[in-house]
Amino acid sequence: MRLPTRHLLGIENLHPRDISALLDLAESYALLNRSGKTRRDVLRGRTLINLFFEDSTRTRTSFELAGKRLGADVINMSVSTSSVSKGETLLDTAATLNAMNCDLLVVRHKASGAPALLAQKVDAAVINAGDGMHEHPTQALLDALTIRRHKGTLEGLTIAICGDIAHSRVARSNILLLIAMGSQVRVVGPPTLIPSGIEQFGVSVFHDMREGLRDADIVMALRLQTERMSGGMIPSAREFFTFYGLDAAKLAVAKPDALVMHPGPMNRGVEIDSQVADDMTRSVIREQVEMGVAVRMAVLDVLARTALRNA
Ligand code: CP
């Protein structure tokens, strides 16, 4: 397969055909990973740099693992010990890495659009690992793969995305992907955490958890992104949990086989109750992490092939 561009900056530019093909390839990597046959040489001789200006556990580690499993030389740049701390700009940092002939640049940044800006300036294929409140495309792909493995399809499913929609790049990428693939998407949260006009993306808006979760196939809880909030958007974490925290009582109105998802990191007792998060009959939160490695292997594989064909 081949993507329309040599970068992965968002779900926005992907055709449903591209999404399905990426998920198919990721599924094959998921099976290989489970069988223990993890080594491939698709990226042998290629260099991947992880450039994270924001903290990460899952995304950075899984890109590192994915790159290594495909045979790439992987470098994790620690921004706090790099020359960024001496005032070097984002573009100068990228130009420096570009001069070292890096092939794949995985970027996380607090500013929306930072990976797109870098993509115009470097020769490497740029992958958006989360930019501000804009997009987190590989998270949406791994969420879609997890859902598809359990439900067989994304088409026709009712998916409730709950909590802090306004500040969530995960919500935005998931909405774009799931609507493109034919799901019915609901966003559920307090008015202060749901952007006005979000209906234009094709979602339904709910301010009551029990209404929003009724007969849902998938319930996805999101972290409160307090680091991106200016001013008090909720009265308190405790009150938020009372009305919008995903607990067994609220989940009871969803379908009996509804899956519980969370992109992590979780704030237990704020957006999700431990009993629900750890219920292995409903929660696929650990599987989401596992699928993160497979999806990132698929993305790196496809981008490397796309770049080779364009060379
Ligand atoms: N879901 C997610 O992006 O997690 P990290 O911040 O740990 O990478």
Side-chain angles (χ1 to χ4, degrees), residues 52 55-60 108 129 136 139 169-170 263-265 296:
F52 277 57
D55 293 340
S56 170
T57 298
R58 283 147 283 269
T59 312
R60 190 168 69 171
R108 172 171 285 189
H136 191 353
Q139 179 70 44
R169 55 200 178 203
V170 174
R296 284 154 187 144

Side-chain angles (χ1 to χ4, degrees), residues 139-160:
Q139 179 70 44
L141 287 165
L142 75 87
D143 291 339
L145 180 61
T146 308
I147 295 169
R148 210 181 68 162
R149 296 186 105 231
H150 286 266
K151 302 292 182 188
T153 182
L154 297 166
E155 197 173 346
L157 295 179
T158 298
I159 301 180

Side-chain angles (χ1 to χ4, degrees), residues 13 90 131 134 235:
N13 304 317
L90 173 66
D131 61 329
H134 178 225

Side-chain angles (χ1 to χ4, degrees), residues 234-245:
I234 54 163
S236 68
R238 193 171 167 162
E239 190 165 321
F240 180 83
F241 182 71
T242 303
F243 289 100
Y244 294 102

Side-chain angles (χ1 to χ4, degrees), residues 4-20:
T5 68
R6 62 194 185 91
H7 309 287
L8 179 63
L9 301 175
I11 295 297
E12 207 163 12
N13 304 317
L14 295 182
H15 190 276
R17 185 182 52 238
D18 302 324
I19 295 169
S20 290

Side-chain angles (χ1 to χ4, degrees), residues 233-296:
M233 300 236 163
I234 54 163
S236 68
R238 193 171 167 162
E239 190 165 321
F240 180 83
F241 182 71
T242 303
F243 289 100
Y244 294 102
L246 182 59
D247 58 17
K250 297 187 192 92
L251 184 61
V253 302
K255 285 194 179 150
D257 62 348
L259 300 177
V260 170
M261 304 181 75
H262 191 301
M266 278 186 281
N267 289 137
R268 292 167 182 266
V270 180
E271 70 267 0
I272 192 164
D273 185 47
S274 281
Q275 189 195 341
V276 170
D278 298 333
D279 177 356
M280 289 304 132
T281 64
R282 308 294 291 272
S283 168
V284 290
I285 295 170
R286 286 191 200 158
E287 189 175 337
Q288 287 175 266
V289 177
E290 181 190 356
M291 292 308 122
V293 179
V295 156
R296 284 154 187 144

